[in-house]
Coordinates of all heavy atoms in Angstrom, one line a residue:
W18 N 4.0 34.9 10.1 CA 4.5 33.7 10.7 C 5.7 33.9 11.6 O 6.5 34.8 11.4 CB 5.0 32.8 9.6 CG 3.9 32.2 8.7 CD1 2.6 32.7 8.6 CD2 4.0 31.1 7.8 NE1 1.9 31.9 7.7 CE2 2.8 31.0 7.2 CE3 5.1 30.3 7.4 CZ2 2.5 30.0 6.2 CZ3 4.8 29.3 6.5 CH2 3.6 29.1 5.9
D19 N 5.7 33.1 12.7 CA 6.8 33.2 13.6 C 8.1 32.8 12.8 O 8.0 32.1 11.9 CB 6.7 32.1 14.7 CG 5.7 32.5 15.8 OD1 5.5 33.7 16.0 OD2 5.2 31.6 16.5
V20 N 9.2 33.4 13.3 CA 10.5 33.0 12.7 C 11.2 32.0 13.6 O 11.7 32.5 14.7 CB 11.3 34.3 12.4 CG1 12.7 33.9 11.7 CG2 10.5 35.3 11.5
R21 N 11.2 30.8 13.2 CA 11.9 29.8 14.0 C 12.3 28.7 13.0 O 11.6 28.4 12.1 CB 11.1 29.3 15.2 CG 9.9 28.5 14.8 CD 9.4 27.7 16.1 NE 8.3 26.9 15.7 CZ 8.4 25.6 15.3 NH1 9.6 25.1 15.1 NH2 7.4 24.9 15.1
P22 N 13.4 28.0 13.3 CA 13.7 26.9 12.4 C 12.7 25.7 12.6 O 12.2 25.5 13.7 CB 15.1 26.5 12.9 CG 15.2 27.1 14.2 CD 14.3 28.2 14.3
L23 N 12.5 25.0 11.5 CA 11.6 23.8 11.6 C 12.5 22.6 12.0 O 13.6 22.5 11.4 CB 10.9 23.6 10.3 CG 9.8 24.6 9.9 CD1 9.3 24.3 8.6 CD2 8.7 24.5 10.9
L24 N 12.1 21.9 13.0 CA 12.8 20.7 13.4 C 12.3 19.5 12.7 O 11.2 19.5 12.1 CB 12.7 20.6 14.9 CG 13.1 21.8 15.8 CD1 12.7 21.6 17.2 CD2 14.6 22.1 15.6
W25 N 13.0 18.4 12.9 CA 12.5 17.1 12.2 C 11.2 16.7 12.8 O 10.3 16.2 12.1 CB 13.6 16.0 12.4 CG 13.7 15.5 13.8 CD1 14.5 16.0 14.8 CD2 12.9 14.5 14.4 NE1 14.4 15.3 16.0 CE2 13.3 14.4 15.8 CE3 11.9 13.6 14.0 CZ2 12.8 13.4 16.7 CZ3 11.4 12.7 14.9 CH2 11.9 12.6 16.2
L26 N 10.9 17.0 14.1 CA 9.6 16.7 14.7 C 8.5 17.6 14.1 O 7.4 17.1 13.9 CB 9.7 16.9 16.2 CG 8.5 16.4 17.0 CD1 8.2 15.0 16.8 CD2 8.6 16.7 18.5
D27 N 8.8 18.8 13.7 CA 7.9 19.6 13.0 C 7.5 19.0 11.7 O 6.3 19.0 11.2 CB 8.4 21.1 12.7 CG 8.6 21.9 14.0 OD1 7.7 21.8 14.9 OD2 9.6 22.6 14.1
L28 N 8.5 18.5 10.9 CA 8.3 18.0 9.6 C 7.4 16.7 9.7 O 6.5 16.5 8.9 CB 9.6 17.7 8.9 CG 10.4 18.9 8.6 CD1 11.8 18.5 8.0 CD2 9.7 19.9 7.8
C29 N 7.6 15.9 10.8 CA 6.8 14.7 11.0 C 5.4 15.1 11.3 O 4.4 14.6 10.9 CB 7.4 13.9 12.2 SG 8.9 13.1 11.8
S30 N 5.2 16.2 12.1 CA 3.9 16.7 12.5 C 3.2 17.2 11.3 O 2.0 17.0 11.1 CB 4.0 17.8 13.5 OG 4.6 17.3 14.7
I31 N 3.9 17.9 10.4 CA 3.3 18.5 9.2 C 2.8 17.4 8.3 O 1.7 17.4 7.8 CB 4.3 19.4 8.4 CG1 4.6 20.7 9.2 CG2 3.9 19.7 7.0 CD1 5.8 21.5 8.8
L32 N 3.6 16.3 8.1 CA 3.2 15.2 7.3 C 2.0 14.5 7.8 O 1.1 14.1 7.1 CB 4.4 14.3 7.0 CG 5.5 14.8 6.2 CD1 6.7 13.8 6.1 CD2 5.0 15.1 4.7
A33 N 2.0 14.3 9.2 CA 0.9 13.6 9.8 C -0.4 14.4 9.7 O -1.4 13.9 9.4 CB 1.3 13.3 11.3
A34 N -0.2 15.7 9.9 CA -1.4 16.6 9.8 C -2.0 16.6 8.4 O -3.2 16.5 8.2 CB -1.0 18.0 10.3
L35 N -1.1 16.7 7.4 CA -1.5 16.7 6.0 C -2.2 15.4 5.7 O -3.3 15.4 5.0 CB -0.4 16.9 5.1 CG 0.0 18.3 4.9 CD1 1.3 18.4 4.0 CD2 -1.1 19.1 4.2
A36 N -1.6 14.2 6.1 CA -2.3 13.0 5.8 C -3.6 12.9 6.4 O -4.6 12.4 5.8 CB -1.4 11.8 6.3
T37 N -3.8 13.3 7.7 CA -5.0 13.3 8.4 C -6.0 14.2 7.7 O -7.2 13.9 7.4 CB -4.9 13.8 9.8 OG1 -3.9 12.9 10.4 CG2 -6.2 13.8 10.6
I38 N -5.7 15.5 7.3 CA -6.5 16.4 6.6 C -7.0 15.8 5.3 O -8.2 15.8 5.0 CB -5.8 17.7 6.4 CG1 -5.7 18.5 7.7 CG2 -6.6 18.6 5.4 CD1 -4.7 19.7 7.7
L39 N -6.1 15.2 4.5 CA -6.5 14.7 3.2 C -7.4 13.5 3.3 O -8.4 13.4 2.6 CB -5.3 14.4 2.4 CG -4.4 15.6 2.0 CD1 -3.2 15.1 1.2 CD2 -5.2 16.5 1.1
L40 N -7.1 12.6 4.3 CA -8.0 11.5 4.5 C -9.4 11.9 5.0 O -10.4 11.4 4.5 CB -7.4 10.5 5.4 CG -6.2 9.7 4.9 CD1 -5.5 8.9 5.9 CD2 -6.5 8.9 3.7
L41 N -9.4 12.8 5.9 CA -10.7 13.4 6.4 C -11.5 14.0 5.3 O -12.7 13.8 5.1 CB -10.5 14.3 7.6 CG -10.3 13.7 8.9 CD1 -9.9 14.8 9.9 CD2 -11.6 13.0 9.4
W42 N -10.8 14.8 4.5 CA -11.4 15.5 3.3 C -12.0 14.5 2.4 O -13.2 14.6 2.0 CB -10.4 16.3 2.6 CG -11.0 16.9 1.3 CD1 -10.8 16.5 0.1 CD2 -11.8 18.1 1.2 NE1 -11.5 17.3 -0.8 CE2 -12.1 18.3 -0.1 CE3 -12.2 19.0 2.2 CZ2 -12.9 19.3 -0.6 CZ3 -13.1 20.1 1.7 CH2 -13.4 20.2 0.4
L43 N -11.3 13.5 2.0 CA -11.8 12.4 1.1 C -13.0 11.7 1.7 O -14.0 11.4 1.0 CB -10.7 11.5 0.7 CG -9.6 12.1 -0.2 CD1 -8.4 11.1 -0.3 CD2 -10.1 12.5 -1.5
A44 N -12.9 11.4 3.0 CA -14.0 10.6 3.6 C -15.2 11.5 3.7 O -16.3 11.0 3.4 CB -13.5 10.1 5.0
I45 N -15.1 12.7 4.2 CA -16.3 13.6 4.3 C -16.9 13.9 2.9 O -18.1 13.8 2.8 CB -15.9 14.9 5.1 CG1 -15.6 14.5 6.5 CG2 -17.0 15.9 5.0 CD1 -14.9 15.6 7.3
D46 N -16.0 14.2 2.0 CA -16.5 14.5 0.7 C -17.3 13.3 0.1 O -18.3 13.4 -0.6 CB -15.3 14.9 -0.2 CG -15.8 15.3 -1.6 OD1 -16.5 16.4 -1.7 OD2 -15.4 14.6 -2.6
R47 N -16.7 12.1 0.2 CA -17.4 10.9 -0.3 C -18.7 10.7 0.4 O -19.7 10.4 -0.2 CB -16.5 9.7 -0.1 CG -17.1 8.4 -0.5 CD -16.3 7.7 -1.5 NE -16.8 6.4 -1.7 CZ -17.0 6.0 -3.0 NH1 -16.6 6.7 -4.0 NH2 -17.5 4.8 -3.2
L48 N -18.7 10.8 1.7 CA -19.9 10.6 2.5 C -21.0 11.6 2.1 O -22.2 11.2 1.8 CB -19.6 10.7 4.0 CG -20.8 10.6 5.0 CD1 -21.4 9.2 4.9 CD2 -20.5 11.0 6.4
L49 N -20.7 12.9 2.2 CA -21.7 13.9 1.9 C -22.0 14.0 0.4 O -23.2 14.3 0.0 CB -21.3 15.3 2.4 CG -21.1 15.4 3.9 CD1 -20.6 16.7 4.3 CD2 -22.5 15.1 4.6
G50 N -21.1 13.7 -0.5 CA -21.3 13.9 -1.9 C -21.8 12.7 -2.6 O -22.4 12.8 -3.7
Q51 N -21.6 11.5 -2.1 CA -22.0 10.3 -2.8 C -22.9 9.4 -2.0 O -23.9 8.9 -2.4 CB -20.8 9.6 -3.3 CG -20.0 10.4 -4.3 CD -18.7 9.6 -4.7 OE1 -18.3 8.7 -4.1 NE2 -18.0 10.2 -5.7
V52 N -22.4 9.0 -0.8 CA -23.2 8.0 0.0 C -24.5 8.5 0.4 O -25.5 7.9 0.3 CB -22.3 7.6 1.2 CG1 -23.1 6.7 2.1 CG2 -21.0 6.9 0.7
M53 N -24.6 9.8 1.0 CA -25.8 10.2 1.6 C -26.9 10.5 0.5 O -28.0 10.1 0.6 CB -25.6 11.5 2.4 CG -25.0 11.1 3.8 SD -24.8 12.5 4.8 CE -26.4 13.0 5.2
P54 N -26.5 11.1 -0.7 CA -27.5 11.3 -1.7 C -28.0 9.9 -2.3 O -29.2 9.8 -2.5 CB -26.7 12.0 -2.8 CG -25.7 12.7 -2.1 CD -25.3 11.8 -1.0
R55 N -27.1 8.9 -2.4 CA -27.6 7.6 -2.9 C -28.5 7.0 -1.8 O -29.5 6.3 -2.2 CB -26.4 6.7 -3.2 CG -25.7 7.1 -4.4 CD -24.6 6.2 -4.8 NE -23.9 6.8 -5.9 CZ -22.6 6.6 -6.1 NH1 -21.9 5.9 -5.3 NH2 -22.0 7.1 -7.2
G56 N -28.2 7.1 -0.5 CA -29.0 6.6 0.5 C -30.4 7.2 0.5 O -31.4 6.6 0.7
A57 N -30.4 8.6 0.3 CA -31.7 9.3 0.2 C -32.6 8.8 -1.0 O -33.8 8.6 -0.8 CB -31.5 10.8 0.1
L58 N -31.9 8.5 -2.1 CA -32.6 7.9 -3.2 C -33.2 6.6 -2.9 O -34.3 6.3 -3.3 CB -31.7 7.9 -4.5 CG -31.3 9.2 -5.2 CD1 -30.3 8.9 -6.3 CD2 -32.6 9.8 -5.8

């Protein structure tokens, strides 16, 4: 990892990225794991 101090903008970016990743993960997981199999049935 680069050695540099994290700024407040970095922390905002980290939180936004995590929120986006988690929401995408939940949406994709639900779509592929539950919605599509039920639709196929």
